[in-house]
Amino acid sequence: MTTTDLFALSPLLTMGTFCIITMLGIAVRRHHATIAALAAASIVMTLGTLPLAASVVPRTVAMLLRLDTYALLYMGLVSAATLIIIALSYRYWTLHVEDREECEEFYLLILIATFGALVLTASVHFASFFLGLELISVSLYGLIGYLRARRAPLEASLKYLLLASTASAFLLFGMALLYFETGTMVFAEVGAAMTAHGTKPLLWLGGFTLVMVAIGFKLGLVPFHLWIPDVYQGAPAPITAYVATVSKVAVGALLLRFVSDLRILEVQILAMFFAFLAILSMFGGNFLALQQQNVKRLLAYSSIAHFGYLLVALLAGGPFAAEAVTFYLVAYATMTLGAFGVVTARSTPLRDADTFEDYRGLFWSRPWVALTFILSLLSLAGIPITAGFFGKFYAIAAGVQADLWLLVLLLIANSAIGVYYYLRLIVTMFDRSAVAIAVEGGTGHEITGHWATVLSLGLIASMLLWLGGYPGPVIDFIRLVVTDLTATVLHASY
């Protein structure tokens, strides 16, 4: 390994080093504010290394990781989302410390999970793919069940454990079949071997299908979405935000690289498999969301539908699809962070604010919080001049360019269905008759006024307005960055 390789790996090395420093810090002295500040500094330092890494990429290190501008973009997105979640979490856990629940390990687990997410964004080998996925999963077992004195988080943690274990089993079996057929575990070499082979052996198709089932479990696609809404509902609000954004964005980045390197869309039956998942996810997510009275479950089902939209863009293939998927993930992460950020901010030591009643009349009692929530929901609905609108527009344009007319029409129809349940929640916030209704547990514990919460929600709202009102610079930047992903010739030098 050369010095240049170390520079390219600097974001990963920095995050790994700070994981150890944070662990030692907790061992030496437990202090919530200090550990939270250390965790935030870890993320800031990791973000600070991205320009250094960008100066020496693209590079492939030890056949496992490919550091290119594409990976660095997603590392920046994952790190920024984690930083916001840490900021939103501080006051949330401070309230639980009063209940004698220690919370310092929360930040350590968040950093380890983020380290796994960073590995996933640069993975070009099944070994790094598996290790990154397991780092996220094992950390999330603990994070989801962190409030160990309560039944709901423990139940959610157990369900997530079963889901993640099932996904790992499918992934390992799929990897074994692909290795048996090709003799390699490098994504691009697996794709090249199959291209040279001509016909696609059944074992190769089976191996790929099993890997996709594992990814489907991680993204919560229908029909692999079992218990995902239960996990969202039972997990503490900041962890729900993490599961919905960081882990899914990292897996989404991995999926795009995986599909590109293996040239999967050139195989008709596999393209049909993706289309089948997209249709099921769009309809399943939206129709199940229509029946929800719980905000977390509603957002869980809506995320399933959003990844159905994402698959439509992915199916288009080529550089434009890579641009569309990347912009969609940036917009999705921002608007989902905004929605779950408000849920976190409205939560109390007794319970998370996850019912419609918790938001009845919110516009009249906490207008700035309500406006952030409304902006996030409108964006999720894809209303014009929001980040979500441009994300869906991009996905539709990619589908039209690839002549995927049926999928495009279904995407538009499902977007119209989604508008109903988002508007239903927005209307609740304008109910004047319920201004006096407060979150159960006492208004004195509301955390909406904490500076970290205000700063985080303000930043998210600004990003939503910027992405919705002036997306040009972001689109130009993404177009430039995804060049490394689409230049498949670079992957030939392993």
Side-chain angles (χ1 to χ4, degrees), residues 139-162:
S139 302
L140 286 177
Y141 301 155
L143 286 168
I144 292 169
Y146 203 84
L147 295 175
R148 55 191 178 279
R150 304 181 187 182
R151 178 179 176 180
L154 289 178
E155 182 182 332
S157 180
L158 180 60
K159 288 179 174 176
Y160 189 80
L161 170 66
L162 294 173

Side-chain angles (χ1 to χ4, degrees), residues 229-299:
D230 295 346
V231 171
Y232 273 52
Q233 184 179 359
I239 304 307
T240 311
Y242 191 89
V243 173
T245 55
V246 175
S247 71
K248 291 203 172 186
V249 167
V251 175
L254 181 280
L255 175 63
L256 185 54
R257 190 188 290 276
F258 183 72
V259 169
S260 175
D261 281 5
L262 267 71
R263 302 172 187 176
I264 287 167
L265 299 180
E266 296 175 9
V267 184
Q268 189 176 7
I269 190 170
L270 297 181
M272 290 175 64
F273 179 66
F274 271 97
F276 179 67
L277 289 182
I279 293 170
L280 284 182
S281 299
M282 286 190 289
F283 279 103
N286 280 317
F287 278 111
L288 289 169
L290 286 174
Q291 307 167 23
Q292 303 306 314
Q293 294 297 323
N294 183 287
V295 175
K296 281 184 175 180
R297 294 185 73 86
L298 184 149
L299 293 173

Side-chain angles (χ1 to χ4, degrees), residues 39-64:
S42 308
I43 302 297
V44 172
M45 291 292 289
T46 302
L47 285 169
T49 60
L50 293 180
L52 174 64
S55 67
V56 297
V57 298
R59 295 189 73 79
T60 302
V61 180
M63 298 180 65
L64 296 174

Side-chain angles (χ1 to χ4, degrees), residues 297-318:
R297 294 185 73 86
L298 184 149
L299 293 173
Y301 283 116
S302 92
S303 79
I304 293 171
H306 277 283
F307 276 89
Y309 306 150
L310 190 81
L311 287 185
V312 176
L314 184 70
L315 273 165

